[in-house]
Amino acid sequence: MKNKIYAGGDEVVADVPDGASIMFGGFGGAGFPNNLIRALARRGTRNITAISNNCGSGDNELGILFKNKQIRKAHASFPGPTANHFQDCYGAGEIELELMAQGILCERLRAQAAGIPAFYTTVGVGTEVAKGKEERVVRGKRCILESALGADYAFIKAWKADRIGNLIYRKAARNFNPLMAAAAETTIVEVDEIVEVGALDPEVIITPSIFVDRIVQVPGR
Amino acid sequence: MKNKIYAGGDEVVADVPDGASIMFGGFGGAGFPNNLIRALARRGTRNITAISNNCGSGDNELGILFKNKQIRKAHASFPGPTANHFQDCYGAGEIELELMAQGILCERLRAQAAGIPAFYTTVGVGTEVAKGKEERVVRGKRCILESALGADYAFIKAWKADRIGNLIYRKAARNFNPLMAAAAETTIVEVDEIVEVGALDPEVIITPSIFVDRIVQVPGR
Amino acid sequence: MSKQRLTREQIAERAAQELPDGGCVNLGFGIPNLMSNYVPAGKTIYFHSENGILGMGPRAKPGEEDFDLVDAMKVPVTVIPGAAFFNQAEAHMMTRGGHLDVAVLGAFQVSEKGDIANWKVPGTKGSGGIGGAMDIAVGARRLIVCMEHNARDGAPKVVRQCTYPLTAIECVKAIITDLAVIDITAEGLLLREVAPGFTPAEVQRFTEPRLIVSENVPEMRLAAGGM
Amino acid sequence: MSKQRLTREQIAERAAQELPDGGCVNLGFGIPNLMSNYVPAGKTIYFHSENGILGMGPRAKPGEEDFDLVDAMKVPVTVIPGAAFFNQAEAHMMTRGGHLDVAVLGAFQVSEKGDIANWKVPGTKGSGGIGGAMDIAVGARRLIVCMEHNARDGAPKVVRQCTYPLTAIECVKAIITDLAVIDITAEGLLLREVAPGFTPAEVQRFTEPRLIVSENVPEMRLAAGGM
């Protein structure tokens, strides 16, 4: 059986190529795959399309990748007041940004994971995000059409993984991570702890192993 | 604070009116709200629109409601080889049936729960279920348009509820129950056990209390 | 009789009176976020956070923070008994799917039709950011806006038509400001309450669209002396 | 040399050889359901059930049944270490979303383009039933059909065009029958293996569309004597 466990962050991102699209989990400082992000910064992968709720916080989270000019395009809901490196790049016209409602970002990721190519929503009707999108009345409500959104990779953070990749999270650090795990071609997870197969109760597993390709146990946030 | 706990099955379904649309959880004999179904049979509510994966098993599960001619219309994926009362009614032209793929039934329920009025899917393209539905190519794939599906009531079965309606299930008895809980105007759950608020770990709650309106603790399946 | 407009804390105090016992409620950035301090005694509110919490409690005490347990503003919080965790799509299933009893958002402008603009100031630099507000505004069963009645330059924020980029259309049900409580009804803006010491005519003067005013518009009830 | 067509058990045995170690696999009604008995030693397969299980183990022993732990055929089963439970929508996120490595379904007919018909026999009474097959057929990364090569009346089940109501179009990748293993390729039906004792010409005679036949078509390898 294929081994999913890698020695460390550098090994697990070693083949992520220039031009890759990558989803990054995390929200509000919780559940960010910071060790994977730093490994990606060391590797120097360029022309990344990033999908993430926000766009870094100073040099932290995605900040380091914007600072290094590794990201070419971002899909985000709330780049964030402390995303200074992103804002610098954005102001300089170096970055293409697709801004969207947070719940629609979630739903587009889930649609990708669930094999739903597109869906109608009332969210965004009459606003800037509706520009260029098909509008139509569904069941008496004005709706716009949104499409599935996935990526080559998901970089996510979980609390514990078993050796085949079943995952559990801690509290609000769950956020986008299970969605992105399911929406990627290749899902890479950093965890606090790897446990034996069978150590996680099947009732409480949040991300089943089917959605996880690579696991690294790394210390610290 | 509104009390969600009812004395028994008869009390909890006492106001379910003729013509109500009702979703019924359960699959493969597991997770059926059998006590609620029997209470509904006793109450005699008529002209029900039923949404359920299947249509009863002999006199059990939904069988009793078809036997009593309480159901006028059914939305199902697999009425089932042992759904003799349903088949009798269906053969006699007494019942309108919408047959659909099981995953599309799930997805339509979830769409209702999530405020998504309609979605495109490749499932069903080129088959009988595509008849009368809009077809269109999305991202190079032939798709049909499916709409959200909900109901006035969900009748569901869980293992444990706390007093405000957080739910956990047992094993494969989870199936459709969490989806229906979230897709109904009024969700009624029968459980093996009611526990105090705070007794369920927030990490393992499957149906948060926001989706549950009424709870009965009833013995037996 | 005082002629002071309400403080932000007092707006939050008044708005908290709108929360139903046992209700599931999302509070947005700004003034709404202050409301959790003013839940009337005896009421339990299940506060929802779009990052996957139902049943948020007070902020964590210094030294007791768990940085995996933060609200949508990145602040370490606690949970109350009966809380649940879930993922962000499930959190927005709750917002968009019509499961929140009440949501309260801040705003730059609210129109008389209930349109809300709260995510972008025209002409400012940077990308702006939407966050969860669009889903929350569209989906909440009852959407309340808490804001100052007028901008710093005195411009009315309750307007005929929003000029700022919209968050969502025709969704606000009530507006609570430092001058008034206003319901948005099919007939128009109904002045429900005025701030202590203010008259309906004074409130009208600070408001762009015409207010519907009944014979007796009561004053808001607030704790003596406020906060 | 035996000239017997394979038994249903032998079809299942041959099909089980297609399952990748560590793979996530859904087995449909009928012959596919027998495959779990023939997983080659040393391989671990995570069997998926659309009612919300990944990691199904063998059927429960008599007296040890848990009727909350059943497969999609209502049979009490067990789970293996590493199993997980989830709801039915999440189960079909796995089917439709392209997450299953392999799915194996039974069928009434398979066309040379990979169309499958497996849910309804024309002219039969009753409502029929679809179940999970449409989502599974559309979404599995590799869809294999296991069936008898011919109907009871001898009619070919590998056909140019399905005449039975379709389950899904252009999705079957391989067909394993009591006579042959056939891959469905862009060029057409490629005869990969024949049942022991049968020649490609004999298989062609029982098959409606033309088969692509290479010079040496090997015989299927099965345990001596079958089951």
Side-chain angles (χ1 to χ4, degrees), chain A residues 4 6 12-13 15 153 186-189 212-216:
Chain A
K4 294 184 179 178
Y6 285 65
V12 84
V13 306
D15 63 351
Y153 294 89
T186 299
T187 294
I188 306 179
V189 57
V212 175
D213 300 288
R214 304 178 187 180
I215 309 163
V216 278

Side-chain angles (χ1 to χ4, degrees), chain B residues 123-193:
Chain B
V123 174
V125 167
T127 78
E128 286 187 8
V129 303
K131 277 181 194 156
K133 289 174 188 160
E134 175 189 319
E135 183 176 323
R136 126 182 216 180
V137 174
V138 182
R139 303 182 145 197
K141 286 180 181 164
R142 286 173 66 190
C143 288
I144 55 175
L145 185 64
E146 295 280 2
S147 59
L149 180 65
D152 302 329
Y153 294 89
F155 281 22
I156 68 163
K157 169 77 165 82
W159 182 30
K160 294 183 184 182
D162 69 17
R163 300 180 64 86
I164 60 171
N166 287 302
L167 305 181
I168 61 172
Y169 303 84
R170 276 195 82 242
K171 305 183 178 181
R174 193 182 301 184
N175 56 62
F176 286 91
N177 287 298
L179 303 171
M180 291 175 171
E185 286 300 314
T186 299
T187 293
I188 307 178
V189 58
E190 68 169 80
V191 296
D192 292 345
E193 191 182 347

Side-chain angles (χ1 to χ4, degrees), chain B residues 46-127:
Chain B
R46 302 187 70 81
N47 283 324
I48 294 166
T49 294
I51 298 167
S52 180
N53 185 68
N54 49 24
C55 294
S57 180
D59 286 0
N60 299 314
E61 298 162 5
L62 289 196
I64 183 70
L65 300 177
F66 286 107
K67 187 180 184 184
N68 290 353
K69 317 263 187 207
Q70 293 178 255
I71 296 177
R72 178 185 55 79
K73 183 170 182 183
H75 302 263
S77 121
F78 195 79
T82 59
N84 55 305
H85 295 302
F86 162 80
Q87 294 294 357
D88 289 348
C89 299
Y90 181 76
E94 296 166 3
I95 287 205
E96 195 182 331
L97 172 69
E98 185 194 22
L99 199 61
M100 67 193 98
Q102 188 184 98
I104 297 305
L105 170 56
C106 295
E107 201 62 17
R108 293 179 66 189
L109 299 173
R110 187 198 168 275
Q112 175 71 26
I116 302 295
F119 58 89
Y120 287 102
T121 175
T122 55
V123 174
V125 167
T127 78

